[in-house]
Amino acid sequence: MGDRPGELRALLDSVAAQEGDRVEVVVVGNGTPLTGLPEDVRTVELPENRGIPGGRNAGIEAFGPAGRDVDVLLFLDDDGRLARTDTARLVREAFAADDRLGIVGFRIADPDTGRTQRRHVPRLRASDPLRSSPATTFLGGANAVRTAVFAEVGGLPEEFFYAHEETDLAWRALDAGWSVGYRADMVLFHPTTPPSRHAVYHRLVARNRVWLARRNLPAPLVPLYLGVWLLLTLLRRPSASALRAWFSGFAEGWRTPCGGRRPMRWRTVWRLTRMGRPPVI
């Protein structure tokens, strides 16, 4: 977005410091011009803000259709930085060791305390963020995706703009037979921040939750999944203004187009259930 030049430079320095082969870098200006970047960094300037998934899709295409010019793409938020110099090597080794590994989510840790927020551990049993595990979703701010996944199932859903676009991609990848993992040893330092800092957070989270279900779940699971999330939202006792925004987004999710519907197969539902994350929560 062009509003964190110092943090962006720190991120680029952490990428340049990676061991082994050089990591090719593209910076996407999401509705903002890009200046003052290192000469070896490629840039893509979008004329308008296309949201998180739109910006990342533009970065994918910078490496050819569906990113086909490379095998794996890293996605890193501009206000983070890689904590270690061996992360790129670990990513290469992970994908080389498992040809069905499609997506790897990194651990996000606060740079001052080293702590990882519970919401940043993409599984129900999130008490130990230092434990790597298979996963059914991943964190958008720090991850690596095999470009063959994009070629097979498509990119991130630009309609979402913000929130749940990672789960949409992960579900499609899992349905196509790819695996998703969470790696605690691949770390991005990122300041601890509440997601509600975004003015549209509650509306888009609710709207996109409905879209996620409508796009990806077998019809009998759609009301069950959304009913569970409605109950969880009420149990969290949000403020009156937040709840109004949430219900506004929930209604919007039902009455507006959500993109193409491709319900996952029942065997994928069973696979997610065996992994401890049935697609109703």
Side-chain angles (χ1 to χ4, degrees):
M1 298 293 294
D3 54 354
R4 294 189 283 237
E7 291 90 338
L8 174 59
R9 187 57 190 246
L11 171 64
L12 295 176
D13 289 345
S14 73
V15 173
Q18 293 300 299
E19 303 165 5
D21 295 340
R22 176 179 170 272
V23 179
E24 293 186 57
V25 177
V26 167
V27 175
V28 178
N30 214 347
T32 186
L34 296 170
T35 59
L37 296 177
E39 292 184 359
D40 59 348
V41 171
R42 287 189 283 164
T43 61
V44 176
E45 293 187 3
L46 302 178
E48 61 182 8
N49 183 358
R50 286 168 44 185
I52 293 172
R56 289 177 182 154
N57 284 344
I60 295 168
E61 296 299 311
F63 292 97
R68 68 183 181 191
D69 295 345
V70 294
D71 296 322
V72 175
L73 284 173
L74 295 174
F75 297 88
L76 302 170
D77 272 2
D78 64 352
D79 55 346
R81 58 184 170 87
L82 294 173
R84 298 164 42 159
T85 60
D86 63 350
T87 301
R89 176 177 60 81
L90 292 174
V91 168
R92 293 186 179 103
E93 291 175 352
F95 283 97
D98 182 357
D99 61 6
R100 294 309 297 170
L101 178 61
I103 303 171
V104 171
F106 296 9
R107 180 168 66 91
I108 292 180
D110 185 271
D112 297 322
T113 66
R115 295 182 61 183
T116 296
Q117 293 179 270
R118 185 180 181 88
R119 68 184 181 89
H120 284 157
V121 183
R123 57 176 181 252
L124 293 180
R125 297 178 180 176
S127 59
D128 182 10
L130 300 182
R131 177 173 64 88
S132 301
S133 68
T136 61
T137 187
F138 63 99
L139 300 177
N143 62 81
V145 182
R146 193 186 297 268
T147 53
V149 172
F150 297 124
E152 182 171 357
V153 307
L156 294 154
E158 296 200 21
E159 303 94 334
F160 283 37
F161 195 82
Y162 166 83
H164 303 320
E165 66 273 3
E166 300 91 359
T167 301
D168 186 273
L169 177 61
W171 281 2
R172 286 183 280 127
L174 289 162
D175 194 49
W178 298 98
S179 64
V180 179
Y182 166 72
R183 287 285 296 263
D185 55 342
M186 300 176 185
V187 183
L188 184 82
F189 280 148
H190 187 284
T192 298
T193 53
S196 54
R197 70 190 186 278
H198 300 291
V200 295
Y201 170 77
H202 296 288
R203 181 178 67 83
L204 294 188
V205 161
R207 183 197 68 182
N208 293 358
R209 183 77 70 183
V210 177
W211 282 358
L212 180 68
R214 289 175 57 198
R215 285 165 58 95
N216 294 287
L217 292 182
L221 294 186
V222 173
L224 181 58
Y225 175 83
L226 295 175
V228 167
W229 279 103
L230 172 60
L231 178 61
L232 287 174
T233 299
L234 295 174
L235 289 175
R236 290 168 176 167
R237 302 177 67 181
S239 66
S241 61
L243 197 58
R244 284 194 299 270
W246 194 93
F247 275 109
S248 172
F250 193 78
E252 182 183 349
W254 284 108
R255 68 172 184 265
T256 56
C258 62
R261 173 168 165 76
R262 290 183 290 180
M264 67 177 65
R265 293 166 291 184
W266 283 104
R267 69 181 184 185
T268 304
V269 173
W270 177 237
R271 180 185 180 189
L272 295 176
T273 302
R274 287 189 290 110
M275 292 174 66
R277 194 72 185 255
V280 294
I281 186 171

